[in-house]
Amino acid sequence: MHGLDLRTLEIFRAVAREGSVSGAAKKLNRVQSNVSTRMKQLEEQLDRTLFERRKRGIALTPEGELLLSYAQRLLDLSDEASDALNQDVPRGPFRIGAMESTAASRLPEPLSRFHETCPEVAVDVVTGTAGAIVGKLLGREIDVGFVAEPARHEDLVSEPVFEEALVLVAPESFGSLDDPGKLSGRTMIAFEQGCAYRRYLEDWLLESGIAPGTVLSVGSYLAMLACVSAGTGFCVVPQSVLEVVNSSGRFVRKPLAGKFAAIRTLMVTRRGYRSAKLDALKEKLPAA
């Protein structure tokens, strides 16, 4: 069996993502019959059925799912090789993963300056918990990630870029937070498991001897602060997020102290990854 052609794999990936030959043809600006022929030839070459034909579109078979995972990795490696060998002008797609707090309060300014100097780069920012971002990075779904420390993995390298002061936030009805023991039995509001700030909050509560009541998991800081404002419970938020949210007078707040007072945000990449886009972005970022 001859080696797989990258162009064919690109077409295969498009068909898998779009769920139809017609959708992939439109996405790739190709004739539909050409896409169908290439997919038929691919199945014949591999002697495997890659697609399950349905009344509405198509779906991948288990063999197709397996091939898609390899196709994604091969196409990503091809892009990385092209980037590494063409360091003169940053161009092409650049996939960035970041915690929501970082995307909202820290990245807008450097990304704006990055766009001014690198107009040929198409930036795609996705948000998630620190754990989810690391997973996407290892899975080659993104090129660079911004996560809270630590980010230890033998296949990753990291460097600090921001430092976040952490603030305990509670409804005004809770009164002063000088006695944190009053939080016992109260609802803790946080992101899902995998969030570094949630881990910090849980460690702080444990060390302070505070046993919260229920845990309310939410998907954004706006939702989190809205729940606090409504009197639902307490949370921990980076000071940089509070500075970009109009929250004056709705909460009581108290900076965490000691080892929980601040946490660094790291820029994380796969070991060995190089690109002109990454170098250009680094120039726009501070060093924590």
Side-chain angles (χ1 to χ4, degrees), residues 214-236:
T214 58
V215 177
L216 176 62
S217 295
V218 298
S220 75
Y221 279 109
L222 284 178
M224 189 181 297
L225 293 172
C227 289
V228 174
S229 182
T232 305
F234 64 92
C235 66
V236 158

Side-chain angles (χ1 to χ4, degrees), residues 29-248:
N29 195 27
R30 284 176 171 264
V31 178
Q32 186 172 331
S33 59
N34 175 265
V35 175
S36 296
T37 298
R38 295 290 287 269
M39 292 303 93
K40 182 179 179 181
Q41 292 172 342
L42 180 61
E43 289 185 315
E44 291 174 350
Q45 177 186 356
L46 297 173
D47 193 25
R48 294 289 187 275
T49 300
L50 302 175
F51 300 101
E52 178 184 340
R53 277 72 180 179
R54 298 177 176 177
K55 290 183 178 180
R56 296 183 178 180
I58 56 179
L60 291 176
T61 62
E63 290 83 358
E65 293 282 1
L66 179 61
L67 178 61
L68 180 61
S69 67
Y70 281 103
Q72 185 64 61
R73 288 157 62 186
L74 288 168
L75 291 168
D76 286 343
L77 284 172
S78 176
D79 289 340
E80 285 188 23
S82 179
D83 283 343
L85 293 172
N86 294 279
Q87 291 286 318
D88 50 347
V89 180
R91 58 168 59 90
F94 193 33
R95 302 163 302 175
I96 298 174
M99 300 179 298
E100 191 201 27
S101 58
T102 306
S105 64
R106 294 294 193 179
L107 289 183
E109 183 178 342
L111 284 182
S112 177
R113 290 187 281 116
F114 176 83
H115 179 67
E116 289 179 0
T117 57
C118 304
E120 295 185 51
V121 177
V123 176
D124 181 19
V125 178
V126 298
T127 60
T129 64
I133 294 302
V134 167
K136 288 181 180 294
L137 194 59
L138 291 171
R140 296 182 177 273
E141 297 177 52
I142 57 176
D143 301 309
V144 59
F146 291 88
V147 302
E149 61 182 344
R152 303 187 186 98
H153 193 282
E154 61 182 7
D155 295 328
L156 301 178
V157 293
S158 64
E159 56 185 281
V161 287
F162 308 114
E163 183 168 279
E164 301 291 356
L166 299 183
V167 181
L168 179 66
V169 183
E172 290 180 324
S173 59
F174 281 25
S176 171
L177 295 176
D178 290 338
D179 176 16
K182 67 171 61 177
L183 297 177
S184 288
R186 303 277 194 171
T187 298
M188 181 181 87
I189 306 170
F191 284 101
E192 63 186 19
Q193 292 288 352
C195 172
Y197 297 140
R198 172 170 176 162
R199 185 185 69 249
Y200 255 54
L201 175 56
E202 290 172 337
D203 289 347
W204 176 78
L205 291 170
L206 181 64
E207 189 163 303
S208 301
I210 300 170
T214 58
V215 177
L216 176 62
S217 295
V218 298
S220 75
Y221 279 109
L222 284 178
M224 189 181 297
L225 293 172
C227 289
V228 174
S229 182
T232 305
F234 64 92
C235 66
V236 158
V237 178
Q239 178 62 39
S240 61
V241 170
L242 290 175
E243 290 172 357
V244 299
V245 175
N246 183 18
S247 58
S248 177

